[in-house]
Each structure stands twice: as C-alpha cells, then as structure tokens.
Amino acid sequence: MSSPKVVLAYSGGLDTSVAIPWLKEHKGLDVVAVTVDVGQPVDLERVRAKAKASGAVGAYVADARREFADEFLAPALKANALYEGVYPLSTALARPLIGRHMVEVARREGARAVAHGCTGKGNDQVRFDLSTTSLAPELAVITPAREWGMTREEEIEYAKQHGVPVEATKASPYSTDENLWGRSVECGILEDPMVEPPEAAYGWTRSPTDAPEAPTTVRLEFEQGLPIALDGERLPFHEMIPKLNEVAGSNGVGRIDHVESRVVGIKSREVYECPAAVVLIRAHQALEGLVLPRDVLDFKRTVEQRYAQLIYDGLWFSPLRTSLQAFVDATQERVTGEVAVKLYKGSATVIGRRSPHSLYQSALATYSSGDQFRQEMSEGFIYVWGLPARTWAAQTPPPTSTAPRAAKYRA
Ligand code: ARG
C-alpha cells in the first residue's frame, strides 16, 4: 500500500533534497516535489531528476515567470511596494505564488499536507505557511528544517546515508535567493552590520566604482501604471525585467544594504540587488507625480506602506491586501506616459517625464511670459487659509507657554 503524500516546495538544494527521505523516515509520507521557475537560475529538468534521485515519488516543475510578473510584480509595482522604504520585496513576492502552486499540486495529487524547507527564524516560513493555509485551510504544513536540528555537516552525512546526491560545489559563505525582481544575500560576513558588503557578495550588479564612465539613459513607457516598452521596444513585463536588470545592474544600480525588521522580531542584515525594480518604481513614482493630484498621492503613500508590510508579513492572500489593491488599481487609470531615467555609477535619476494626462500646465507654472495664474487671487485665499492660525494666535496663551525668545538684533 502506498503512503499518504506530502507536496514539498523543492529548490534542488541540500535542505529540500534531504527533506525528501526525512519526510519518509520521520512522517511516513511520500514526497511529491514542486519546483517553480520565478526567474532564478535553474535547470528545471536537472532539478526534476534530482528530486527523483533523492526519493520523490513525483516531481512537478513549472515555468511561472510570466505569472509571477503579471500577477504579483505588476500589482506590487502599481503600489510602489518597498518594505521599510527600501526593499522591493523580491523574495517576499515569490512565496505566495509558490504557495499557490503547492496547493494546486496537493489537490491534484490528493495530498493532505504541504512542506517547505524554511527554518524557524525567517520570514519565508511565515509566507509559505500563511499562503498555503489561506488558500487551502484543510492542508497541514510540515516543516522539516524547523524540527530536525541538523547542522550542515549532519545534513550532508544524512544525505549520503539516504542516497541523496550531494554536489561537490564549494559552499558559498552566503545564503542567496533569486528571482526576476531581485537577488537577496545574507549570512557570512554580512552578519556584522558595520562591515561593508564585500564585492563577492554581489552577483547581478557591477560596483558603481567600476561602472561605465558614460551614463546610460533608458526610456520607459507606461500604460495604466504598467511598463509596456523599454527604449521604444514593446516587451511583455516578464521579458522587460531581465533586460532592465542587465542594463541597470551594469551601471551599478540596485544595490540595497538593509538592516530589516523580520516578522519574528529579529533584526537582520540583508543585501539586495534589485536593479529593474529600483528603476521601475522610481520611474512609476515620477509619472504618478505628474498625473495624480496631491491628496491622492499623499493618501496612496499611506496605503503603499501598509501594502508593503502585508506582503512582507506573508499576507498576500488576505482581504486587506485585496482591498488595498482595489484602491491602488483605481489610482492607475491615468498613469500612462513616458519617463526617462539616467543610470550612472549606481544612481538612477529621473530626468524627464510626459503624459497625455499630465496635470502640469505651463501657463500656470511658468515664471516667464504667458503666465495665466491670477496672483492677486492669492491674497483672499491666504486670508481664509490663515484664519485658523490667526484665531489661534489671538487667544491669550496659557501661562506656561514659552515666551518668544529674546531677539538678538542690534538696531
Ligand atoms: N529577508 C528577505 C525577505 O524576508 C529575504 C529572505 C531570503 N534571503 C536569503 N538570502 N535566502 O524577504
């Protein structure tokens, strides 16, 4: 009789490979592996073969790059999503997508549980657990790495004993995670937040010092909040992102050194490389600044902050995220136009923007001839606008209030 099945999010690395025999030995479960291509450097067929060689009874692979770009990165870009103001949430955005694939395979295979290789200290466990439970509350979540307490050496020993192929690659001092939206790097020397990240920690970006002496300008066309063309070439979003990663990364753009506040309360230091995300968010913000009124921009910033936090916290599939998304989407109707961004030795500077829906009117803004702004009307406006301030100031101040500081003028 065959054992019950568990669907494992499988990367092809040591942890998730060891999890295959471990789940059999300790939980009596047959493992069906699922590997999702979200733009990480992965050979799906090799990963599938390795899952089988490690003992999986089934191995699914999926190219989800387009789905990732259109259903996760595009909504996040419309929201200019940056956790703690700096991190474009590249790793965080991929987790609910992978979770959705795990649930789909679990249903197809009649599995009653899902599993992932996250440790008990990070954010990704929260994201996998919450996204799978939100979509399929009936599924149990099993997390070998939270239970087994093995060191890396012990894992290698366990792998050898259980016939799991161990690749003889030199172990990197860093833990990395990659997808279309960025590369995350932590551990090793980066755990000292005062130490500058060594060049070897970076993989996608050239050091600004070594970047070309001449700047590169990219032109981005947006339609209703989403980029549709790069330098005049129309491209699907999932194809534009790698191109932009390349050109911006080679100009040293997109490095982010972040001491971040994890969901579980730990402060951790992570280094990110997100060249395309940094350029796109900056360009998108610039276009919004041209076409959206002040109050919408201002309120949207509050929404964006909360939205970014929800994604970081693993709450992509939540009623609040969906509701905030509805607001964000509604703001994007007129976010159509073109933005020019200059890339130069690590900086990405917006140098031009235009839109058919621009609220910028030369006749109102100009200080040269042709000014149509009726400056005499400002007196009445300021009289009314300043009324509360005058009323306040005319009140007798309470006795404890600070007297105006003695002026130090000399007449
Ligand atoms: N700290 C990032 C996040 O919570 C990335 C986590 C994965 N990082 C890694 N180097 N494996 O989204």
Side-chain angles (χ1 to χ4, degrees):
M1 213 190 81
S2 64
S3 309
K5 287 176 188 167
V6 59
V7 170
L8 171 70
Y10 184 66
S11 69
L14 181 67
D15 295 343
T16 50
S17 297
V18 164
I20 297 173
W22 190 91
L23 283 161
K24 183 77 185 171
E25 184 176 42
H26 294 264
K27 306 284 172 181
L29 296 169
D30 279 341
V31 172
V32 175
V34 180
T35 307
V36 184
D37 180 358
V38 282
Q40 73 276 37
V42 67
D43 177 339
L44 289 176
E45 285 318 312
R46 276 191 62 173
V47 170
R48 192 212 300 273
K50 187 169 175 190
K52 288 290 189 63
S54 304
V57 298
Y60 286 76
V61 294
D63 178 353
R65 285 174 293 179
R66 174 171 227 139
E67 180 189 350
F68 184 41
D70 292 348
E71 294 179 43
F72 293 83
L73 304 183
L77 174 59
K78 290 185 199 170
N80 301 315
L82 293 169
Y83 180 63
E84 294 187 326
V86 294
Y87 164 40
L89 295 155
S90 39
T91 293
L93 282 160
R95 301 319 187 191
L97 165 82
I98 298 169
R100 192 161 79 182
H101 281 271
M102 291 161 78
V103 167
E104 200 177 308
V105 173
R107 292 201 166 133
R108 216 184 256 231
E109 292 279 336
R112 265 176 290 163
V114 291
H116 58 74
C118 302
T119 69
K121 294 176 70 171
N123 300 312
D124 286 329
Q125 52 166 348
V126 180
R127 298 166 186 153
F128 278 125
D129 287 28
L130 290 190
S131 50
T132 53
T133 331
S134 307
L135 295 174
E138 71 280 7
L139 290 175
V141 187
I142 305 172
T143 54
R146 281 200 301 233
E147 291 184 35
W148 67 33
M150 284 191 273
T151 63
R152 194 180 158 81
E153 289 66 37
E154 288 162 350
E155 277 185 57
I156 291 173
E157 195 46 44
Y158 186 91
K160 285 180 179 155
Q161 281 167 13
H162 292 77
V164 171
V166 179
E167 279 143 38
T169 49
K170 212 170 78 214
S172 154
Y174 307 112
S175 156
T176 58
D177 178 67
E178 288 178 57
N179 64 48
L180 289 176
W181 211 227
R183 178 171 182 269
S184 311
V185 197
E186 63 181 352
C187 302
I189 188 77
L190 301 177
E191 286 181 358
D192 182 341
M194 190 58 195
V195 169
E196 182 180 2
E199 269 314 302
Y202 295 104
W204 285 17
T205 53
R206 197 178 290 175
S207 162
T209 324
D210 302 335
E213 291 301 324
T216 307
T217 298
V218 289
R219 288 182 180 276
L220 289 158
E221 267 166 67
F222 286 85
E223 204 171 271
Q224 301 203 320
L226 293 178
I228 53 158
L230 170 62
D231 290 330
E233 187 190 357
R234 276 186 90 93
L235 284 169
F237 192 30
H238 69 288
E239 289 177 21
M240 183 189 300
I241 298 166
K243 287 204 173 200
L244 206 47
N245 274 330
E246 178 59 41
V247 58
S250 64
N251 281 285
V253 170
R255 293 185 170 187
I256 298 152
D257 179 347
H258 185 201
V259 171
E260 71 193 45
S261 315
R262 283 192 192 166
V263 185
V264 295
I266 299 172
K267 289 277 187 196
S268 71
R269 201 273 191 99
E270 188 113 24
V271 170
Y272 298 99
E273 297 178 280
C274 306
V278 163
V279 172
L280 285 167
I281 291 172
R282 202 158 291 165
H284 181 255
Q285 286 170 330
L287 189 56
E288 287 187 328
L290 188 67
V291 302
L292 295 180
R294 182 169 86 150
D295 54 357
V296 176
L297 286 172
D298 185 45
F299 191 74
K300 185 167 183 278
R301 268 193 289 273
T302 308
V303 171
E304 289 173 353
Q305 219 174 37
R306 191 63 198 272
Y307 179 100
Q309 197 175 328
L310 286 173
I311 295 173
Y312 189 85
D313 291 355
L315 293 167
W316 177 270
F317 297 115
S318 68
L320 182 55
R321 206 278 306 172
T322 316
S323 307
L324 297 184
Q325 193 74 59
F327 168 79
V328 168
D329 290 350
T331 62
Q332 299 300 294
E333 204 183 317
R334 299 192 194 184
V335 186
T336 294
E338 189 184 334
V339 182
V341 185
K342 189 185 262 187
L343 311 170
Y344 179 63
K345 287 191 175 289
S347 70
T349 313
V350 172
I351 55 165
R353 68 293 269 162
R354 68 168 160 228
S355 166
H357 307 298
S358 173
L359 301 177
Y360 183 92
Q361 293 192 21
S362 304
L364 294 178
T366 188
Y367 284 96
S368 309
S369 62
D371 182 7
Q372 288 173 11
F373 188 87
R374 293 167 63 185
Q375 300 198 32
E376 73 282 4
M377 303 299 270
S378 285
E379 187 184 345
F381 164 71
I382 296 167
Y383 171 80
V384 175
W385 182 242
L387 194 54
R390 282 195 303 280
T391 312
W392 175 264
Q395 261 292 333
T396 317
T400 51
S401 79
T402 45
R405 267 181 286 153
K408 293 210 174 70
Y409 302 121
R410 271 182 293 153

